[in-house]
């Protein structure tokens, strides 16, 4: 049953609801007396322009009652264009839980602007939205410190089993965009500062990740045996030595990729160590991963899969390192002058052992992978730092 279209007056102004209503039922997830409830391809649109532009937008969202998951998007329209054109902001959001969660968007639009929310999947499954909040253009962004996804979710991964090859795993130690059919991460992202370093020993407890959705194949500690490829860490063991528990988490197989030994133990390991030299005077954000199919390990010859085809051997391994001074509100401290190191290495056993020879741009990695890296940064900062090849010291 469709909800009738109409306009409602809220404290912020008039909003146009299409296949949406103000819900006050017990099953509506809300912070006050009511929340917007959308179904099908419902929309929630401002019938007015905000006068002071927008820096950030936050929205709370949850599934209605016991309904299935849905996805939605934020769109913006600037009065300056005088063209009635809507532009999508950030990644598609997937709502998978009945507990209100906060979705945050970096907008950075000056002048008058208005917004629209569009439900994009889930059909008759209903979705609640509440507490839509905007910070004016030029106002400091909300503080995001030590959040593994503070700089963005590269592929828009979501904790929805319906998207098995872009599945979000959030660990206290790192975030993973996991690919079930490839048996490895698309990417792993983490924050590193001196508090992550301690005296805990390397646990070496490689093991399957039991937190994967029921019925998914779990790559085993023995899945790489005899293959000629290392169980290559994305988030390295030595970045998590503050406790045995934190170090142990890095040995989950969802943090591993099949890596040629001379890649993993050579320039990749050297670069891992170099990233830690920025501590304690700096913090580091790191995102890395792999792409393509087919690598050459110690057994020789091109190998495309392991473990009876359940584990893809990548063709390339890549990493992006963002270095910033110690402080608060991490995103706000990254500027056009921030040092960013990006590398893209062949997954072979005869590569140059000097990691600096593989320096490239973030833009080039995005073009190769299709990801949107550092998406939470202001557009002008992204433009500046993503197009440069690092030329800084390497020791």
């Amino acid at each position: 049953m469709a909800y009738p279209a109409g306009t409602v007056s809220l404290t912020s102004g008039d909003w146009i609801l299409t296949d949406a209503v103000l819900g006050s039922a017990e099953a509506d997830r809300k912070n006050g007396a009511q929340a917007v409830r959308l179904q099908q391809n419902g929309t929630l649109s401002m019938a007015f322009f905000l006068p002071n532009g927008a820096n950030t937008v936050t929205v709370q969202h949850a599934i209605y009652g016991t309904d299935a998951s849905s996805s939605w998007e934020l769109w913006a329209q600037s009065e300056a264009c005088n063209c009635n054109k809507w532009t999508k902001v950030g990644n598609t959001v997937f709502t998978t839980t009945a507990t209100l969660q906060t979705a945050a968007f970096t907008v950075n639009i000056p002048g008058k602007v208005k917004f629209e929310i569009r439900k994009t999947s889930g059909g008759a499954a209903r979705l609640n939205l509440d507490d839509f909040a905007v910070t004016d253009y030029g106002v400091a962004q909300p503080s995001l410190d030590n959040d593994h996804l503070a700089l963005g979710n590269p592929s828009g991964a979501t904790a929805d089993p319906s998207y098995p090859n872009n599945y979000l795993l959030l660990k206290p130690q790192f975030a993973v965009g996991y690919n079930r059919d490839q048996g490895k991460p698309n990417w792993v992202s983490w924050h590193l500062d001196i508090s992550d370093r301690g005296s805990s020993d390397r646990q070496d407890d490689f093991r399957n990740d039991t937190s994967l959705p029921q019925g998914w194949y779990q790559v085993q500690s023995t899945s790489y045996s005899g293959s000629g490829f290392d169980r290559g860490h994305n988030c390295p063991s030595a970045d998590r030595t503050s406790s045995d528990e934190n170090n142990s988490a890095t040995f989950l197989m969802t943090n591993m990729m099949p890596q040629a030994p001379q890649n993993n133990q050579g320039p990749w390991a050297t670069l891992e160590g170099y990233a830690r030299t920025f501590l304690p005077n700096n913090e580091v954000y790191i995102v890395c991963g792999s792409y393509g199919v087919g690598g050459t390990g110690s057994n020789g010859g091109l190998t495309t899969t392991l473990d009876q085809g359940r584990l893809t051997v990548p063709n390339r391994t890549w990493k992006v390192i963002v270095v910033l001074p110690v402080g608060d509100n991490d995103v706000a401290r990254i500027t056009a002058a921030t040092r960013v190191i990006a590398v893209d290495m062949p997954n072979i056993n005869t590569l140059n052992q000097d990691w600096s020879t593989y320096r490239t741009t973030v833009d080039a990695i995005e073009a190769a992978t299709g990801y949107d890296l550092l998406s939470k940064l202001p557009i002008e900062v992204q433009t500046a730092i993503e197009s440069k090849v690092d030329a800084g010291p390497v020791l």
Side-chain angles (χ1 to χ4, degrees), residues 6-26:
T7 301
V8 297
S9 295
L10 303 175
T11 55
S12 55
D14 289 348
W15 292 74
I16 302 168
L17 277 63
T18 304
D19 217 349
V21 296
L22 292 180
S24 56
E26 183 178 352

Side-chain angles (χ1 to χ4, degrees), residues 205-208 218-225 231 253:
D205 52 346
F206 292 93
R207 64 198 184 281
N208 54 303
Q218 298 175 10
V219 176
Q220 303 294 303
S221 62
T222 56
S223 293
Y224 291 47
S225 297
R231 296 171 292 192
M253 296 304 293

Side-chain angles (χ1 to χ4, degrees), residues 49 74 112 118 253 288 290 358 360 365:
F49 284 95
L74 178 69
K112 294 183 178 180
R118 304 176 182 178
M253 296 304 293
C288 74
S290 57
Y358 299 107
T360 185
I365 293 174

Side-chain angles (χ1 to χ4, degrees), residues 33-366:
Q34 60 187 12
V36 173
R37 185 198 313 156
L38 295 90
Q39 65 176 3
Q40 300 297 343
N41 293 311
T43 61
L44 169 66
S45 308
M46 285 182 172
F48 60 97
F49 284 95
L50 295 169
N52 301 318
N55 191 18
T56 63
V57 171
T58 57
V59 188
Q60 295 210 357
H61 60 107
I63 61 174
Y64 171 87
T66 58
D67 283 11
S69 301
S70 298
S71 65
W72 55 277
E73 297 170 348
L74 178 69
W75 291 70
Q77 182 183 132
S78 171
E79 188 185 55
C81 78
N82 195 29
C83 59
N84 199 33
K85 178 183 177 182
W86 291 93
T87 302
K88 183 182 175 185
V89 178
N91 294 315
T92 300
V93 178
F94 293 88
T95 301
T96 61
T97 176
T99 301
L100 284 168
Q101 307 284 317
T102 301
F105 303 86
T106 300
V107 182
N108 284 317
I109 297 177
K112 294 183 178 180
V113 62
K114 62 181 177 180
F115 294 98
E116 179 174 277
I117 289 177
R118 304 176 182 178
K119 186 172 179 290
T120 55
S121 77
R126 291 156 292 185
L127 165 70
N128 281 131
L129 300 172
D130 203 359
D131 292 348
F132 187 101
V134 181
T135 59
D136 290 348
Y137 180 78
V139 174
Q141 300 186 51
S143 179
L144 281 176
D145 293 324
N146 308 338
D147 180 340
H148 302 312
L149 293 177
L151 304 192
N153 180 329
S155 62
T158 175
D160 183 347
S162 300
Y163 298 86
N165 297 328
N166 192 27
Y167 184 73
L168 183 63
L169 283 166
L170 289 176
K171 311 285 187 185
Q173 300 81 12
F174 47 81
V176 182
Y178 188 69
N179 191 313
R180 180 199 64 185
D181 292 349
Q182 293 189 0
K184 67 172 184 64
N186 294 318
W187 53 264
V188 177
S189 181
W190 68 100
H191 174 268
L192 173 66
D193 65 22
I194 195 61
S195 69
D196 297 306
R197 298 273 291 157
S199 58
S200 287
D201 293 330
R202 179 182 169 98
Q203 299 301 297
D204 270 326
D205 52 346
F206 292 93
R207 64 198 184 281
N208 54 303
D209 190 339
T210 58
S211 73
L212 290 173
Q214 186 175 6
W216 287 20
Y217 176 69
Q218 298 175 10
V219 176
Q220 303 294 303
S221 62
T222 56
S223 293
Y224 291 47
S225 297
S227 68
F229 289 90
D230 285 357
R231 296 171 292 192
H233 283 72
N234 282 262
C235 177
S237 162
D239 280 10
R240 295 290 182 257
T241 55
S242 58
S243 70
D244 290 354
E245 178 184 5
N246 287 338
N247 187 264
S248 176
T250 70
F251 289 91
L252 290 166
M253 296 304 293
T254 48
N255 184 43
M256 302 296 160
M257 58 183 169
Q259 213 167 352
Q262 292 305 309
N263 177 311
N264 181 43
Q265 300 171 36
W268 191 262
T270 304
L271 180 57
E272 288 177 340
Y274 181 62
R276 291 187 287 271
T277 67
F278 292 108
L279 311 180
N281 296 324
N282 297 279
E283 303 173 15
V284 185
Y285 276 99
I286 305 168
V287 57
C288 74
S290 57
Y291 67 92
V293 178
T296 305
S298 59
N299 292 344
L302 187 71
T303 302
T304 57
T305 63
L306 310 178
D307 198 8
Q308 301 177 31
R310 294 176 292 201
L311 182 53
T312 297
V313 177
N315 182 256
R316 309 284 299 191
T317 61
W318 59 271
K319 179 171 288 188
V320 173
I321 299 169
V322 181
V323 184
L324 60 157
V326 172
D328 298 321
N329 198 347
D330 294 345
V331 169
R333 299 197 325 279
I334 299 173
T335 70
T338 296
R339 186 176 182 190
V340 177
I341 303 169
V343 299
D344 189 341
M345 304 179 186
N347 192 25
I348 59 177
N349 222 35
T350 55
L351 74 171
N352 193 313
Q353 295 297 289
D354 179 1
W355 65 262
S356 67
T357 63
Y358 299 107
R359 285 188 282 193
T360 185
T361 65
V362 175
D363 283 340
I365 293 174
E366 289 181 328

